[in-house]
Amino acid sequence: MKKFVSLAAVAALTLSLGACSTSSPDVIQRGDAQRMSLVEDGVVLTVRNVVVDGSQSGMGAAVGGVTGAVAGASRGGGRAESNAIGLLVGVAGAVAGNAIERMATREDATELLVQLKGGERRAVVQAKGGEVLVPGDKVILITTGGKVRVAKAP
């Protein structure tokens, strides 16, 4: 039963961390709604597939460590043995939790090199969205609160 609870906790952690953050151009953060944005016209020069590395907030390590320590401490015979096993399994749980968080928050993305009408160039990395952009596409760069996203021009 305790093993099932530990596995359920790790699964819940993985699912919740995977939904924490995105750089998708199709997802607008609540704080960016109803804000004035700067819009610039441009043309896509290059498109390159990249991977945005996952985050390591420490939450995965903390949850994994506590889960491992509790599960490990309940396995030992005597108090000293139980504490030692709890410590070792807690460290292993922290390492595993950190890795799970990092993998769950990774995302496939696109690096776009865009030439603006004035001749300046901008590079933007954003998660893959519903629109597929290719070199030569006319686009708009939308800047809101220091964050930029690229969309096909209307």
Side-chain angles (χ1 to χ4, degrees), residues 16 49 53 60-61 66 71 118 124-126 146 148:
S16 65
N49 292 328
D53 197 14
V66 169
V124 178
V125 174
Q126 65 186 26
V148 179

Side-chain angles (χ1 to χ4, degrees), residues 1-127:
M1 180 65 176
K2 290 180 183 181
K3 187 175 183 177
F4 174 75
V5 171
S6 296
L7 290 174
V10 170
L13 171 67
T14 301
L15 293 173
S16 65
L17 289 175
C20 283
S21 179
T22 182
S23 62
S24 172
D26 297 335
V27 178
I28 308 301
Q29 301 298 320
R30 180 171 294 283
D32 292 339
Q34 296 184 323
R35 294 183 94 187
M36 181 77 72
S37 299
L38 172 66
V39 178
E40 299 174 277
D41 294 308
V43 175
V44 176
L45 296 177
T46 63
V47 178
R48 183 171 74 104
N49 292 328
V50 296
V51 175
V52 175
D53 197 14
S55 65
Q56 294 177 290
S57 67
M59 187 58 111
V63 171
V66 169
T67 303
V70 170
S74 64
R75 297 284 182 217
R79 181 154 171 79
E81 181 182 336
S82 179
N83 288 343
I85 291 173
L87 176 64
L88 291 174
V89 176
V91 169
V95 170
N98 190 49
I100 289 169
E101 177 184 13
R102 189 170 183 188
M103 292 306 292
T105 56
R106 278 180 87 143
E107 60 184 328
D108 291 329
T110 303
E111 179 184 61
L112 303 161
L113 181 59
V114 177
Q115 183 155 359
L116 302 178
K117 281 194 171 184
E120 295 179 38
R121 294 179 179 185
R122 300 283 189 265
V124 178
V125 174
Q126 65 186 26

Side-chain angles (χ1 to χ4, degrees), residues 126-152:
Q126 65 186 26
K128 293 185 178 184
E131 293 182 325
V132 177
L133 299 171
V134 297
D137 279 348
K138 292 183 180 186
V139 294
I140 54 174
L141 277 73
I142 306 160
T143 306
T144 308
K147 296 179 184 176
V148 179
R149 57 191 169 94
V150 180
K152 284 190 177 181

